[in-house]
């Protein structure tokens, strides 16, 4: 890489990190632009008039809303890694060169992209390709993923390295009840955690959907949904990848395992009537803070309580720890609800029944026996 090109890459990298990860909290130059800035040499010419700065800020909000925070963090990290690899190999980042990108994904698959010599999975490589395409597009430059240097190499990587997906273990009803018993009902933290587990299971919710809920509509800027408690159950309105959807959660047969009763108890004793539904418990567990929980808390909660309850105790401890995460709740509902599949599909917000079936674990796979049904 030439000195000028290296300086350009180094100057460009902080821009995209600021834009993607900070989204409006970067430098004054970044705030003045409604889209990720061009490389440093041309940035000054792109400055908007002062009377358009308000619109630029609003446009930046819309850019942020177009993708999740996790996606933006991943794209920023992938771009930084690619820039570092190009610098070490002495190759140009600009303009986008399919041959260079083909070599980069080859290094990813062979474990030579970073110092740890650990090959990246096929799904990780595909995400990084998407990251590069997106990052280049923000600079007004197109990366042709269909070019033979990328497409052919990627096809070979899929054929040679693709493996069946490692699915998280489903938490079934009996497992969930045992997990609830590991939580202290006499503490605010215990009440909150019980409500999150029951709501996540009964609603078939993703971990981000659980923590993104507010007590009501339009109460926070970072909320992704809200609840409405009704006589017969709970109505959850969610903003998902494909638009808004509603999830109905009925009352349970027992107050101990009823998600609605448990949630009402948490709201009452936590004195929560407005804003984020699930928050941090502070002051040695005696007070409820104002901050919304991070979605990682759901994954940690599921894993911690599943291990404490002895779920899948037939497996070694180290192996059990890798089985449980937030998706275990969604998979548990899909695997255990004895209703028409289309109702489960609607609850999970899946576009196809095939996707719903992928969530069904630890079930009788031969419940429908086509061999006998055919007369054999």
């Amino acid at each position: 890489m030439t000195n000028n090109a290296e300086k350009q890459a180094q100057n460009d990298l902080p821009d995209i990190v600021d834009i993607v990860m900070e989204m409006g909290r970067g430098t004054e130059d970044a705030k003045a632009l409604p889209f990720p800035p061009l490389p440093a040499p041309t940035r000054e010419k792109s400055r908007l008039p002062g009377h358009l700065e308000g619109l630029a800020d609003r446009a930046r909000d819309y850019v942020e809303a177009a993708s999740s925070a996790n996606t933006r963090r991943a794209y920023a990290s992938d771009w930084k890694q690619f820039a570092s690899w190009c610098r070490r190999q002495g190759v140009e980042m600009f303009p986008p060169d399919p041959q260079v990108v083909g070599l980069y994904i080859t290094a990813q698959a062979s474990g030579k992209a970073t110092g740890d010599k650990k090959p990246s999975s096929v799904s990780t490589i595909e995400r990084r390709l998407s990251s590069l395409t997106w990052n280049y597009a923000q600079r007004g430059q197109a990366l042709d993923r269909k070019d033979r240097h990328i497409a052919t190499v990627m096809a070979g990587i899929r054929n040679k390295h693709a493996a069946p997906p490692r699915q998280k273990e489903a938490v079934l009803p009996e497992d969930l009840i045992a997990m609830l018993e590991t939580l202290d009902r006499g503490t605010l933290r215990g009440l909150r955690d019980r409500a999150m587990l029951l709501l996540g299971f009964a609603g078939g919710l993703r971990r981000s959907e659980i923590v993104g809920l507010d007590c009501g509509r339009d109460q926070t800027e970072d909320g992704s949904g809200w609840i409405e408690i009704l006589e017969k159950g709970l109505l959850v309105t969610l903003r998902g990848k494909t638009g808004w959807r509603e999830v109905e959660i009925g009352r349970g047969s027992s107050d101990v395992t009823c998600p609605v009763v448990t949630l009402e108890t948490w709201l009452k004793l936590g004195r929560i009537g407005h804003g984020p539904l699930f928050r941090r418990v502070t002051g040695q567990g005696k007070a409820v803070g104002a901050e919304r929980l991070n979605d990682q808390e759901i994954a940690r909660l599921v894993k911690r309580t599943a291990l404490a309850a002895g779920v899948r105790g037939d497996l070694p401890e180290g192996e059990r720890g890798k089985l449980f995460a937030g998706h275990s709740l969604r998979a548990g509902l899909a695997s255990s609800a004895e209703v028409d599949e289309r109702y489960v599909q609607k609850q999970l917000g899946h576009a196809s029944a095939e996707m719903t079936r992928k969530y069904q674990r630890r079930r009788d796979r031969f419940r429908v026996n086509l061999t006998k049904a055919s007369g054999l």
Side-chain angles (χ1 to χ4, degrees), residues 168-172 201 302 323-333:
K168 294 300 181 181
E169 187 79 4
V171 167
L172 300 182
F201 180 92
V302 173
L323 290 177
F324 302 101
H327 259 60
S328 297
L329 299 176
R330 281 168 63 81
L333 179 71

Side-chain angles (χ1 to χ4, degrees), residues 19 22-25 30-31 33-36 53-68 72 221 239:
I19 294 303
E22 298 295 329
M23 283 294 180
R25 296 192 296 272
K31 289 180 180 179
L33 294 171
F35 44 81
E53 289 188 6
L55 285 177
D57 288 340
R58 178 61 60 89
R60 190 171 299 283
D61 291 339
Y62 289 144
V63 170
E64 182 176 4
S67 59
S68 70
R72 295 193 299 274
E221 292 186 0
R239 182 179 63 229

Side-chain angles (χ1 to χ4, degrees), residues 248 333 337 339-349 356:
E248 297 90 6
L333 179 71
V339 296
D340 192 302
E341 193 174 69
R342 67 178 185 270
Y343 295 114
V344 180
Q345 180 183 338
K346 177 182 180 295
Q347 192 82 341
L348 298 183
T356 301

Side-chain angles (χ1 to χ4, degrees), residues 291-364:
E291 293 182 7
R292 186 187 306 278
L293 282 182
N294 185 287
D295 64 353
Q296 291 288 343
E297 295 289 344
I298 303 296
R300 286 191 280 264
L301 171 64
V302 173
K303 177 178 291 189
R304 183 176 70 252
T305 53
L307 293 177
V311 180
R312 292 308 308 269
D314 56 307
L315 298 175
E317 186 74 16
E319 188 174 340
R320 289 174 61 218
K322 300 177 183 178
L323 290 177
F324 302 101
H327 259 60
S328 297
L329 299 176
R330 281 168 63 81
L333 179 71
S335 302
S336 58
E338 296 291 340
V339 296
D340 192 302
E341 193 174 69
R342 67 178 185 270
Y343 295 114
V344 180
Q345 180 183 338
K346 177 182 180 295
Q347 192 82 341
L348 298 183
H350 288 155
S352 67
E354 181 62 29
M355 178 59 71
T356 301
R357 294 187 192 109
K358 291 181 180 179
Y359 277 73
Q360 295 174 331
R361 333 256 209 269
R362 292 168 64 189
R363 61 185 172 89
D364 184 0

Side-chain angles (χ1 to χ4, degrees), residues 262-278:
T262 306
L263 181 61
E264 288 176 320
T265 304
W266 157 246
L267 293 176
K268 179 180 179 180
L269 297 182
R271 298 180 180 179
I272 301 172
H274 188 276
L277 195 62
F278 295 115

Side-chain angles (χ1 to χ4, degrees), residues 142-360:
L143 173 64
D144 183 9
R145 291 182 59 172
K146 294 182 180 180
D147 184 281
R148 62 186 180 87
H149 292 100
I150 298 177
T152 306
V153 171
M154 195 64 231
I157 290 173
R158 290 192 191 98
N159 288 339
K160 188 169 183 179
H161 297 293
R166 294 181 179 273
Q167 297 177 323
K168 294 300 181 181
E169 187 79 4
V171 167
L172 300 182
E174 58 270 25
D175 302 325
L176 182 62
I177 292 173
M179 290 160 63
L180 293 173
E181 290 303 312
T182 68
L183 299 171
D184 188 351
R185 300 184 205 176
T187 65
L188 287 172
R189 183 175 287 107
L191 290 174
R192 180 201 66 189
D193 291 351
R194 290 174 64 86
M196 290 195 298
L197 287 176
L198 285 167
L199 192 68
F201 180 92
L205 304 181
R206 299 175 178 86
R207 64 189 194 189
S208 60
E209 292 173 338
I210 298 172
V211 300
L213 289 173
D214 289 338
C215 296
R217 181 172 184 166
D218 298 331
Q219 291 185 346
T220 66
E221 292 186 0
D222 63 338
S224 57
W226 65 88
I227 64 165
E228 185 179 357
I229 299 177
L230 307 172
E231 181 181 352
K232 293 185 178 180
L234 182 71
L235 179 63
V236 181
T237 303
L238 296 165
R239 182 179 63 229
K241 296 180 179 179
T242 58
W244 291 94
R245 67 185 179 97
E246 291 183 340
V247 175
E248 297 90 6
I249 299 178
R251 294 183 180 272
S253 56
S254 168
D255 286 354
V256 177
T257 57
C258 175
V260 184
V261 171
T262 306
L263 181 61
E264 288 176 320
T265 304
W266 157 246
L267 293 176
K268 179 180 179 180
L269 297 182
R271 298 180 180 179
I272 301 172
H274 188 276
L277 195 62
F278 295 115
R279 316 171 181 198
R280 299 198 175 279
V281 176
T282 61
Q284 297 182 338
K286 297 180 180 180
V288 176
E291 293 182 7
R292 186 187 306 278
L293 282 182
N294 185 287
D295 64 353
Q296 291 288 343
E297 295 289 344
I298 303 296
R300 286 191 280 264
L301 171 64
V302 173
K303 177 178 291 189
R304 183 176 70 252
T305 53
L307 293 177
V311 180
R312 292 308 308 269
D314 56 307
L315 298 175
E317 186 74 16
E319 188 174 340
R320 289 174 61 218
K322 300 177 183 178
L323 290 177
F324 302 101
H327 259 60
S328 297
L329 299 176
R330 281 168 63 81
L333 179 71
S335 302
S336 58
E338 296 291 340
V339 296
D340 192 302
E341 193 174 69
R342 67 178 185 270
Y343 295 114
V344 180
Q345 180 183 338
K346 177 182 180 295
Q347 192 82 341
L348 298 183
H350 288 155
S352 67
E354 181 62 29
M355 178 59 71
T356 301
R357 294 187 192 109
K358 291 181 180 179
Y359 277 73
Q360 295 174 331

